[in-house]
Amino acid sequence: MILDSFSLKGKVAFITGASYGIGFAIAKAYVEAGAKIVFNDIKQDLVDKGLAAYEEAGIKTHGYVCDVTDENAVNETVKKIEKEVGVIDILVNNAGIIRRIPMLEMSAAEFRQVIDVDLNGPFIVSKAVIPSMIKKGHGKIINLCSMMSELGRETVSAYAAAKGGLKMLTRNICSEYGAQNIQCNGIGPGYIATPQTAPLRVDGHPFNSFIISKTPAGRWGTTEDLMGPAVFLASDASNFVNGHILYVDGGILAYIGKQPS
Ligand code: NAP
Ligand code: GCO
């Protein structure tokens, strides 16, 4: 049955930075598809908040304190996960930050911080989980890319550089480990209503109407819009899809924008 190929039954999925937002929605989808969920956050109180939120949603998860930019902490955490939960079958590099600052006003330290979390983080975590995936004979890595993997805009130079790099890291992991049956793909969400974009969605914010005019769907995306695509890329249904960035953007990348009336 073709629908069986979308099942994640018996799989261990590690979703970074999934205490809330997109990662939380992906975790819910994966549980419904049969997976066991592991997530991390940078402080114990945030992990505890995440565990409580999952429990409220009726989901048992395993939470770990780990900063994705800290290679030693990541390696230790992956070892702990493998011992306490199981070998990671699916890695979702979801953790990410954005700093909206005009480039000429952005310090090199602020630029580096975004690159560190959004690009070095996925490199560090992928490097930590790939060896066991190779031993196990399969693995799925899904990187949270962005419209900014393809387009620029004012004030997001660091974020666009990181997400553009993440698109190419995705293609490189595909190239380097596809022969070991590892599929590494990206999800490129459009503009999604989460805490990360809350500042852009306040009532009357010009960006709010701008995004709606640039999106054929005429609306902001929701985290639910990403659940099906995330299950597809984590499942056997996508075993011959590799190095692909699946844009879930309501059509933004295909559209020049609403013509002036
Ligand atoms: P969000 O609401 O800001 O959540 C980001 C998550 O990442 C939080 O749980 C955060 O934990 C965690 N995190 C940040 N830095 C971390 C670190 N160093 N180590 C571990 N965890 C860390 O973001 P979102 O909107 O859900 O977006 C999730 C991903 O999708 C990001 O990569 C983002 O760039 C990408 N994306 C978002 C959109 C959108 O429109 N929302 C569109 C395209 C792509 P804390 O609680 O500690 O901050
Ligand atoms: C911004 C937004 C975007 C979204 C997303 C779009 O300030 O432009 O935060 O970058 O987060 O990445 O795909």
Side-chain angles (χ1 to χ4, degrees), residues 16-23 40-43 46 66-69 93-97 117-118 144-147 159 163 187-197 220:
T16 65
S19 304
Y20 51 85
I22 288 173
N40 69 306
D41 207 317
I42 46 184
K43 290 196 202 89
L46 296 167
C66 170
D67 179 335
V68 296
T69 65
N93 283 309
N94 167 77
I97 61 172
V117 178
D118 294 7
L144 265 292
C145 295
S146 159
M147 293 291 93
Y159 184 82
K163 294 298 187 180
I187 287 182
Y191 280 82
I192 311 293
T194 72
Q196 193 246 47
T197 54
W220 281 76

mmCIF file of all heavy atoms in Angstrom, residues 16-23 40-43 46 66-69 93-97 117-118 144-147 159 163 187-197 220, ligand 1:
data_model
loop_
_atom_site.group_PDB
_atom_site.id
_atom_site.type_symbol
_atom_site.label_atom_id
_atom_site.label_comp_id
_atom_site.label_asym_id
_atom_site.label_seq_id
_atom_site.Cartn_x
_atom_site.Cartn_y
_atom_site.Cartn_z
ATOM 1 N N THR A 16 15.892 19.500 16.062
ATOM 2 C CA THR A 16 16.600 20.474 16.882
ATOM 3 C C THR A 16 15.727 21.712 17.093
ATOM 4 O O THR A 16 14.952 22.108 16.219
ATOM 5 C CB THR A 16 17.940 20.891 16.228
ATOM 6 O OG1 THR A 16 17.654 21.583 15.005
ATOM 7 C CG2 THR A 16 18.834 19.701 15.961
ATOM 8 N N GLY A 17 15.835 22.309 18.286
ATOM 9 C CA GLY A 17 15.119 23.557 18.586
ATOM 10 C C GLY A 17 13.627 23.431 18.425
ATOM 11 O O GLY A 17 12.979 24.282 17.829
ATOM 12 N N ALA A 18 13.052 22.327 18.943
ATOM 13 C CA ALA A 18 11.623 22.066 18.667
ATOM 14 C C ALA A 18 10.746 22.245 19.902
ATOM 15 O O ALA A 18 9.747 21.538 20.075
ATOM 16 C CB ALA A 18 11.469 20.662 18.090
ATOM 17 N N SER A 19 11.093 23.194 20.774
ATOM 18 C CA SER A 19 10.233 23.452 21.942
ATOM 19 C C SER A 19 8.928 24.129 21.512
ATOM 20 O O SER A 19 7.939 24.090 22.233
ATOM 21 C CB SER A 19 10.932 24.399 22.920
ATOM 22 O OG SER A 19 12.168 23.874 23.283
ATOM 23 N N TYR A 20 8.968 24.797 20.366
ATOM 24 C CA TYR A 20 7.752 25.450 19.850
ATOM 25 C C TYR A 20 7.962 25.727 18.355
ATOM 26 O O TYR A 20 8.923 25.219 17.768
ATOM 27 C CB TYR A 20 7.485 26.759 20.621
ATOM 28 C CG TYR A 20 8.669 27.691 20.709
ATOM 29 C CD1 TYR A 20 8.961 28.591 19.683
ATOM 30 C CD2 TYR A 20 9.512 27.688 21.830
ATOM 31 C CE1 TYR A 20 10.063 29.446 19.761
ATOM 32 C CE2 TYR A 20 10.612 28.533 21.910
ATOM 33 C CZ TYR A 20 10.863 29.417 20.873
ATOM 34 O OH TYR A 20 11.959 30.253 20.950
ATOM 35 N N GLY A 21 7.048 26.456 17.753
ATOM 36 C CA GLY A 21 7.229 26.879 16.357
ATOM 37 C C GLY A 21 7.157 25.737 15.355
ATOM 38 O O GLY A 21 6.461 24.739 15.555
ATOM 39 N N ILE A 22 7.906 25.884 14.281
ATOM 40 C CA ILE A 22 7.871 24.906 13.183
ATOM 41 C C ILE A 22 8.313 23.532 13.667
ATOM 42 O O ILE A 22 7.712 22.510 13.345
ATOM 43 C CB ILE A 22 8.746 25.401 12.007
ATOM 44 C CG1 ILE A 22 8.052 26.580 11.308
ATOM 45 C CG2 ILE A 22 9.075 24.271 11.036
ATOM 46 C CD1 ILE A 22 8.868 27.266 10.239
ATOM 47 N N GLY A 23 9.388 23.506 14.484
ATOM 48 C CA GLY A 23 9.894 22.218 14.972
ATOM 49 C C GLY A 23 8.855 21.457 15.759
ATOM 50 O O GLY A 23 8.727 20.229 15.627
ATOM 51 N N ASN A 40 15.821 19.290 21.415
ATOM 52 C CA ASN A 40 16.767 19.958 22.308
ATOM 53 C C ASN A 40 16.436 21.445 22.387
ATOM 54 O O ASN A 40 15.727 21.993 21.534
ATOM 55 C CB ASN A 40 18.206 19.778 21.807
ATOM 56 C CG ASN A 40 18.434 20.559 20.532
ATOM 57 O OD1 ASN A 40 17.684 20.401 19.566
ATOM 58 N ND2 ASN A 40 19.418 21.442 20.528
ATOM 59 N N ASP A 41 16.936 22.062 23.434
ATOM 60 C CA ASP A 41 16.888 23.519 23.532
ATOM 61 C C ASP A 41 18.122 23.923 24.338
ATOM 62 O O ASP A 41 18.819 23.055 24.873
ATOM 63 C CB ASP A 41 15.581 23.999 24.203
ATOM 64 C CG ASP A 41 15.212 25.403 23.720
ATOM 65 O OD1 ASP A 41 16.139 26.252 23.632
ATOM 66 O OD2 ASP A 41 14.037 25.644 23.408
ATOM 67 N N ILE A 42 18.388 25.236 24.403
ATOM 68 C CA ILE A 42 19.688 25.622 24.984
ATOM 69 C C ILE A 42 19.688 25.725 26.498
ATOM 70 O O ILE A 42 20.740 25.816 27.111
ATOM 71 C CB ILE A 42 20.206 26.950 24.367
ATOM 72 C CG1 ILE A 42 19.149 28.015 24.293
ATOM 73 C CG2 ILE A 42 20.805 26.683 23.017
ATOM 74 C CD1 ILE A 42 19.638 29.292 23.603
ATOM 75 N N LYS A 43 18.473 25.727 27.102
ATOM 76 C CA LYS A 43 18.454 25.803 28.585
ATOM 77 C C LYS A 43 17.441 24.787 29.125
ATOM 78 O O LYS A 43 16.417 24.504 28.475
ATOM 79 C CB LYS A 43 18.043 27.212 29.034
ATOM 80 C CG LYS A 43 19.090 28.295 28.759
ATOM 81 C CD LYS A 43 18.750 29.547 29.580
ATOM 82 C CE LYS A 43 19.382 30.808 29.007
ATOM 83 N NZ LYS A 43 18.470 31.437 28.000
ATOM 84 N N LEU A 46 13.833 25.839 29.233
ATOM 85 C CA LEU A 46 13.160 25.843 27.923
ATOM 86 C C LEU A 46 12.819 24.417 27.485
ATOM 87 O O LEU A 46 11.763 24.164 26.901
ATOM 88 C CB LEU A 46 14.048 26.538 26.891
ATOM 89 C CG LEU A 46 14.315 28.021 27.171
ATOM 90 C CD1 LEU A 46 15.434 28.555 26.291
ATOM 91 C CD2 LEU A 46 13.044 28.848 26.990
ATOM 92 N N CYS A 66 21.005 21.304 24.902
ATOM 93 C CA CYS A 66 22.163 21.288 23.989
ATOM 94 C C CYS A 66 22.070 22.472 23.049
ATOM 95 O O CYS A 66 21.016 22.727 22.470
ATOM 96 C CB CYS A 66 22.135 19.970 23.220
ATOM 97 S SG CYS A 66 23.317 19.911 21.879
ATOM 98 N N ASP A 67 23.181 23.182 22.905
ATOM 99 C CA ASP A 67 23.289 24.291 21.957
ATOM 100 C C ASP A 67 23.880 23.720 20.674
ATOM 101 O O ASP A 67 24.970 23.143 20.705
ATOM 102 C CB ASP A 67 24.215 25.366 22.563
ATOM 103 C CG ASP A 67 24.413 26.564 21.646
ATOM 104 O OD1 ASP A 67 24.256 26.405 20.404
ATOM 105 O OD2 ASP A 67 24.713 27.645 22.147
ATOM 106 N N VAL A 68 23.193 23.859 19.561
ATOM 107 C CA VAL A 68 23.649 23.208 18.325
ATOM 108 C C VAL A 68 24.981 23.759 17.832
ATOM 109 O O VAL A 68 25.626 23.155 16.979
ATOM 110 C CB VAL A 68 22.602 23.313 17.188
ATOM 111 C CG1 VAL A 68 21.323 22.569 17.540
ATOM 112 C CG2 VAL A 68 22.325 24.760 16.804
ATOM 113 N N THR A 69 25.435 24.881 18.382
ATOM 114 C CA THR A 69 26.723 25.440 17.923
ATOM 115 C C THR A 69 27.896 24.864 18.720
ATOM 116 O O THR A 69 29.046 25.123 18.375
ATOM 117 C CB THR A 69 26.742 26.980 18.072
ATOM 118 O OG1 THR A 69 26.674 27.307 19.484
ATOM 119 C CG2 THR A 69 25.579 27.623 17.346
ATOM 120 N N ASN A 93 17.199 19.519 11.047
ATOM 121 C CA ASN A 93 17.961 20.694 11.509
ATOM 122 C C ASN A 93 17.044 21.910 11.438
ATOM 123 O O ASN A 93 16.970 22.606 10.422
ATOM 124 C CB ASN A 93 19.212 20.893 10.627
ATOM 125 C CG ASN A 93 20.315 19.906 10.966
ATOM 126 O OD1 ASN A 93 20.702 19.756 12.132
ATOM 127 N ND2 ASN A 93 20.808 19.206 9.962
ATOM 128 N N ASN A 94 16.310 22.095 12.521
ATOM 129 C CA ASN A 94 15.285 23.143 12.584
ATOM 130 C C ASN A 94 15.743 24.383 13.353
ATOM 131 O O ASN A 94 15.330 25.495 13.056
ATOM 132 C CB ASN A 94 14.027 22.546 13.238
ATOM 133 C CG ASN A 94 13.028 23.600 13.639
ATOM 134 O OD1 ASN A 94 12.321 24.136 12.793
ATOM 135 N ND2 ASN A 94 12.981 23.931 14.926
ATOM 136 N N ALA A 95 16.588 24.163 14.386
ATOM 137 C CA ALA A 95 16.999 25.296 15.249
ATOM 138 C C ALA A 95 17.550 26.428 14.391
ATOM 139 O O ALA A 95 18.334 26.187 13.462
ATOM 140 C CB ALA A 95 18.057 24.832 16.243
ATOM 141 N N GLY A 96 17.109 27.635 14.683
ATOM 142 C CA GLY A 96 17.608 28.763 13.895
ATOM 143 C C GLY A 96 17.255 30.089 14.539
ATOM 144 O O GLY A 96 16.332 30.164 15.349
ATOM 145 N N ILE A 97 18.049 31.099 14.192
ATOM 146 C CA ILE A 97 17.755 32.466 14.670
ATOM 147 C C ILE A 97 17.802 33.409 13.480
ATOM 148 O O ILE A 97 18.288 33.047 12.400
ATOM 149 C CB ILE A 97 18.787 32.930 15.733
ATOM 150 C CG1 ILE A 97 20.208 32.965 15.139
ATOM 151 C CG2 ILE A 97 18.706 32.070 16.982
ATOM 152 C CD1 ILE A 97 21.248 33.595 16.058
ATOM 153 N N VAL A 117 24.587 29.583 14.290
ATOM 154 C CA VAL A 117 23.407 28.772 14.617
ATOM 155 C C VAL A 117 22.795 28.164 13.350
ATOM 156 O O VAL A 117 22.493 26.976 13.298
ATOM 157 C CB VAL A 117 22.343 29.614 15.350
ATOM 158 C CG1 VAL A 117 21.088 28.771 15.636
ATOM 159 C CG2 VAL A 117 22.900 30.192 16.648
ATOM 160 N N ASP A 118 22.624 28.987 12.313
ATOM 161 C CA ASP A 118 21.815 28.567 11.155
ATOM 162 C C ASP A 118 22.576 27.725 10.139
ATOM 163 O O ASP A 118 21.962 27.045 9.315
ATOM 164 C CB ASP A 118 21.244 29.807 10.461
ATOM 165 C CG ASP A 118 20.235 30.553 11.343
ATOM 166 O OD1 ASP A 118 20.096 30.185 12.526
ATOM 167 O OD2 ASP A 118 19.615 31.510 10.859
ATOM 168 N N LEU A 144 16.001 22.970 7.544
ATOM 169 C CA LEU A 144 15.029 24.053 7.389
ATOM 170 C C LEU A 144 15.693 25.224 6.669
ATOM 171 O O LEU A 144 16.422 26.009 7.286
ATOM 172 C CB LEU A 144 14.459 24.475 8.756
ATOM 173 C CG LEU A 144 13.139 23.805 9.156
ATOM 174 C CD1 LEU A 144 12.003 24.282 8.252
ATOM 175 C CD2 LEU A 144 13.199 22.291 9.216
ATOM 176 N N CYS A 145 15.479 25.264 5.340
ATOM 177 C CA CYS A 145 16.012 26.360 4.540
ATOM 178 C C CYS A 145 15.016 27.519 4.613
ATOM 179 O O CYS A 145 14.376 27.709 5.650
ATOM 180 C CB CYS A 145 16.285 25.867 3.116
ATOM 181 S SG CYS A 145 17.588 24.611 3.057
ATOM 182 N N SER A 146 14.848 28.253 3.507
ATOM 183 C CA SER A 146 14.038 29.475 3.620
ATOM 184 C C SER A 146 13.855 30.112 2.248
ATOM 185 O O SER A 146 14.590 29.789 1.304
ATOM 186 C CB SER A 146 14.787 30.464 4.539
ATOM 187 O OG SER A 146 14.357 31.789 4.333
ATOM 188 N N MET A 147 12.907 31.071 2.146
ATOM 189 C CA MET A 147 12.848 31.907 0.938
ATOM 190 C C MET A 147 14.211 32.556 0.731
ATOM 191 O O MET A 147 14.643 32.785 -0.387
ATOM 192 C CB MET A 147 11.824 33.045 1.130
ATOM 193 C CG MET A 147 10.400 32.611 1.228
ATOM 194 S SD MET A 147 9.787 31.988 -0.332
ATOM 195 C CE MET A 147 10.103 30.273 -0.169
ATOM 196 N N TYR A 159 21.238 36.109 7.710
ATOM 197 C CA TYR A 159 20.275 35.000 7.624
ATOM 198 C C TYR A 159 20.245 34.450 6.209
ATOM 199 O O TYR A 159 20.282 33.231 5.992
ATOM 200 C CB TYR A 159 18.897 35.524 8.033
ATOM 201 C CG TYR A 159 17.794 34.513 8.101
ATOM 202 C CD1 TYR A 159 17.633 33.713 9.229
ATOM 203 C CD2 TYR A 159 16.887 34.374 7.048
ATOM 204 C CE1 TYR A 159 16.590 32.798 9.299
ATOM 205 C CE2 TYR A 159 15.856 33.456 7.114
ATOM 206 C CZ TYR A 159 15.707 32.670 8.244
ATOM 207 O OH TYR A 159 14.672 31.761 8.305
ATOM 208 N N LYS A 163 21.193 30.699 5.119
ATOM 209 C CA LYS A 163 20.202 29.814 4.503
ATOM 210 C C LYS A 163 20.589 29.464 3.065
ATOM 211 O O LYS A 163 20.275 28.376 2.582
ATOM 212 C CB LYS A 163 18.807 30.455 4.547
ATOM 213 C CG LYS A 163 18.246 30.608 5.973
ATOM 214 C CD LYS A 163 18.066 29.263 6.688
ATOM 215 C CE LYS A 163 17.361 29.437 8.024
ATOM 216 N NZ LYS A 163 17.168 28.166 8.758
ATOM 217 N N ILE A 187 13.580 21.782 3.479
ATOM 218 C CA ILE A 187 12.236 22.352 3.380
ATOM 219 C C ILE A 187 12.453 23.854 3.367
ATOM 220 O O ILE A 187 13.194 24.387 4.207
ATOM 221 C CB ILE A 187 11.345 21.951 4.581
ATOM 222 C CG1 ILE A 187 10.947 20.477 4.470
ATOM 223 C CG2 ILE A 187 10.101 22.838 4.656
ATOM 224 C CD1 ILE A 187 10.030 20.000 5.576
ATOM 225 N N GLY A 188 11.859 24.542 2.390
ATOM 226 C CA GLY A 188 11.977 25.993 2.330
ATOM 227 C C GLY A 188 10.610 26.609 2.614
ATOM 228 O O GLY A 188 9.824 26.827 1.694
ATOM 229 N N PRO A 189 10.297 26.872 3.902
ATOM 230 C CA PRO A 189 8.992 27.461 4.198
ATOM 231 C C PRO A 189 8.903 28.865 3.616
ATOM 232 O O PRO A 189 9.927 29.561 3.516
ATOM 233 C CB PRO A 189 8.946 27.491 5.732
ATOM 234 C CG PRO A 189 10.049 26.576 6.184
ATOM 235 C CD PRO A 189 11.086 26.654 5.106
ATOM 236 N N GLY A 190 7.704 29.266 3.276
ATOM 237 C CA GLY A 190 7.489 30.671 2.916
ATOM 238 C C GLY A 190 7.465 31.495 4.187
ATOM 239 O O GLY A 190 8.271 31.268 5.092
ATOM 240 N N TYR A 191 6.519 32.422 4.284
ATOM 241 C CA TYR A 191 6.401 33.208 5.510
ATOM 242 C C TYR A 191 5.360 32.556 6.409
ATOM 243 O O TYR A 191 4.184 32.497 6.058
ATOM 244 C CB TYR A 191 6.066 34.665 5.162
ATOM 245 C CG TYR A 191 7.320 35.387 4.738
ATOM 246 C CD1 TYR A 191 7.816 35.277 3.434
ATOM 247 C CD2 TYR A 191 8.068 36.113 5.662
ATOM 248 C CE1 TYR A 191 9.002 35.896 3.066
ATOM 249 C CE2 TYR A 191 9.255 36.740 5.299
ATOM 250 C CZ TYR A 191 9.715 36.622 4.003
ATOM 251 O OH TYR A 191 10.902 37.220 3.642
ATOM 252 N N ILE A 192 5.824 32.047 7.542
ATOM 253 C CA ILE A 192 5.012 31.215 8.428
ATOM 254 C C ILE A 192 4.763 31.961 9.747
ATOM 255 O O ILE A 192 5.679 32.603 10.281
ATOM 256 C CB ILE A 192 5.722 29.871 8.727
ATOM 257 C CG1 ILE A 192 6.236 29.194 7.444
ATOM 258 C CG2 ILE A 192 4.820 28.948 9.536
ATOM 259 C CD1 ILE A 192 5.199 28.703 6.480
ATOM 260 N N ALA A 193 3.567 31.849 10.254
ATOM 261 C CA ALA A 193 3.214 32.536 11.511
ATOM 262 C C ALA A 193 3.777 31.752 12.699
ATOM 263 O O ALA A 193 3.223 30.732 13.110
ATOM 264 C CB ALA A 193 1.689 32.637 11.636
ATOM 265 N N THR A 194 4.929 32.217 13.192
ATOM 266 C CA THR A 194 5.567 31.631 14.377
ATOM 267 C C THR A 194 6.162 32.782 15.198
ATOM 268 O O THR A 194 6.180 33.926 14.726
ATOM 269 C CB THR A 194 6.742 30.702 13.989
ATOM 270 O OG1 THR A 194 7.830 31.529 13.519
ATOM 271 C CG2 THR A 194 6.342 29.698 12.936
ATOM 272 N N PRO A 195 6.723 32.474 16.384
ATOM 273 C CA PRO A 195 7.364 33.560 17.149
ATOM 274 C C PRO A 195 8.444 34.291 16.353
ATOM 275 O O PRO A 195 8.646 35.497 16.500
ATOM 276 C CB PRO A 195 7.953 32.815 18.349
ATOM 277 C CG PRO A 195 7.041 31.651 18.543
ATOM 278 C CD PRO A 195 6.621 31.232 17.159
ATOM 279 N N GLN A 196 9.103 33.579 15.427
ATOM 280 C CA GLN A 196 10.205 34.203 14.685
ATOM 281 C C GLN A 196 9.705 35.339 13.794
ATOM 282 O O GLN A 196 10.381 36.331 13.593
ATOM 283 C CB GLN A 196 10.931 33.137 13.847
ATOM 284 C CG GLN A 196 12.252 33.576 13.278
ATOM 285 C CD GLN A 196 12.228 33.659 11.753
ATOM 286 O OE1 GLN A 196 11.293 34.221 11.190
ATOM 287 N NE2 GLN A 196 13.213 33.107 11.113
ATOM 288 N N THR A 197 8.484 35.195 13.272
ATOM 289 C CA THR A 197 7.983 36.242 12.369
ATOM 290 C C THR A 197 6.950 37.142 13.050
ATOM 291 O O THR A 197 6.375 38.034 12.420
ATOM 292 C CB THR A 197 7.316 35.605 11.131
ATOM 293 O OG1 THR A 197 6.317 34.668 11.574
ATOM 294 C CG2 THR A 197 8.342 34.918 10.240
ATOM 295 N N TRP A 220 -0.459 34.268 5.133
ATOM 296 C CA TRP A 220 0.743 33.732 5.788
ATOM 297 C C TRP A 220 0.583 32.222 5.894
ATOM 298 O O TRP A 220 -0.542 31.712 5.989
ATOM 299 C CB TRP A 220 0.882 34.330 7.182
ATOM 300 C CG TRP A 220 1.445 35.707 7.189
ATOM 301 C CD1 TRP A 220 0.783 36.849 6.850
ATOM 302 C CD2 TRP A 220 2.771 36.099 7.525
ATOM 303 N NE1 TRP A 220 1.636 37.932 6.960
ATOM 304 C CE2 TRP A 220 2.860 37.492 7.372
ATOM 305 C CE3 TRP A 220 3.912 35.400 7.947
ATOM 306 C CZ2 TRP A 220 4.038 38.210 7.632
ATOM 307 C CZ3 TRP A 220 5.074 36.114 8.216
ATOM 308 C CH2 TRP A 220 5.131 37.504 8.037
HETATM 309 P P1 NAP B 1 11.464 30.108 16.234
HETATM 310 O O1 NAP B 1 10.021 30.213 16.564
HETATM 311 O O2 NAP B 1 12.363 31.273 16.456
HETATM 312 O O3 NAP B 1 12.092 28.811 16.975
HETATM 313 C C1 NAP B 1 13.450 28.555 16.784
HETATM 314 C C2 NAP B 1 13.833 27.436 17.718
HETATM 315 O O4 NAP B 1 15.247 27.205 17.602
HETATM 316 C C3 NAP B 1 13.546 27.760 19.177
HETATM 317 O O5 NAP B 1 13.058 26.618 19.848
HETATM 318 C C4 NAP B 1 14.925 28.140 19.693
HETATM 319 O O6 NAP B 1 15.074 27.864 21.060
HETATM 320 C C5 NAP B 1 15.794 27.176 18.922
HETATM 321 N N1 NAP B 1 17.196 27.596 18.925
HETATM 322 C C6 NAP B 1 17.692 28.813 18.605
HETATM 323 N N2 NAP B 1 19.030 28.811 18.727
HETATM 324 C C7 NAP B 1 19.385 27.563 19.152
HETATM 325 C C8 NAP B 1 20.630 26.929 19.460
HETATM 326 N N3 NAP B 1 21.794 27.581 19.375
HETATM 327 N N4 NAP B 1 20.615 25.628 19.854
HETATM 328 C C9 NAP B 1 19.441 24.967 19.974
HETATM 329 N N5 NAP B 1 18.215 25.502 19.702
HETATM 330 C C10 NAP B 1 18.215 26.791 19.291
HETATM 331 O O7 NAP B 1 11.638 29.725 14.688
HETATM 332 P P2 NAP B 1 10.603 29.075 13.662
HETATM 333 O O8 NAP B 1 9.829 30.151 12.990
HETATM 334 O O9 NAP B 1 9.896 27.937 14.333
HETATM 335 O O10 NAP B 1 11.631 28.519 12.570
HETATM 336 C C11 NAP B 1 12.220 27.247 12.721
HETATM 337 C C12 NAP B 1 13.218 27.107 11.590
HETATM 338 O O11 NAP B 1 12.562 27.365 10.345
HETATM 339 C C13 NAP B 1 14.375 28.104 11.661
HETATM 340 O O12 NAP B 1 15.544 27.491 11.151
HETATM 341 C C14 NAP B 1 13.940 29.219 10.714
HETATM 342 O O13 NAP B 1 15.041 29.919 10.174
HETATM 343 C C15 NAP B 1 13.229 28.435 9.661
HETATM 344 N N6 NAP B 1 12.230 29.180 8.881
HETATM 345 C C16 NAP B 1 11.242 29.867 9.513
HETATM 346 C C17 NAP B 1 10.293 30.534 8.708
HETATM 347 C C18 NAP B 1 9.159 31.323 9.288
HETATM 348 O O14 NAP B 1 8.536 32.084 8.514
HETATM 349 N N7 NAP B 1 8.855 31.203 10.560
HETATM 350 C C19 NAP B 1 10.372 30.465 7.322
HETATM 351 C C20 NAP B 1 11.445 29.781 6.739
HETATM 352 C C21 NAP B 1 12.359 29.129 7.544
HETATM 353 P P3 NAP B 1 15.028 29.076 22.132
HETATM 354 O O15 NAP B 1 13.705 28.949 22.771
HETATM 355 O O16 NAP B 1 16.166 28.790 23.059
HETATM 356 O O17 NAP B 1 15.213 30.369 21.411
#
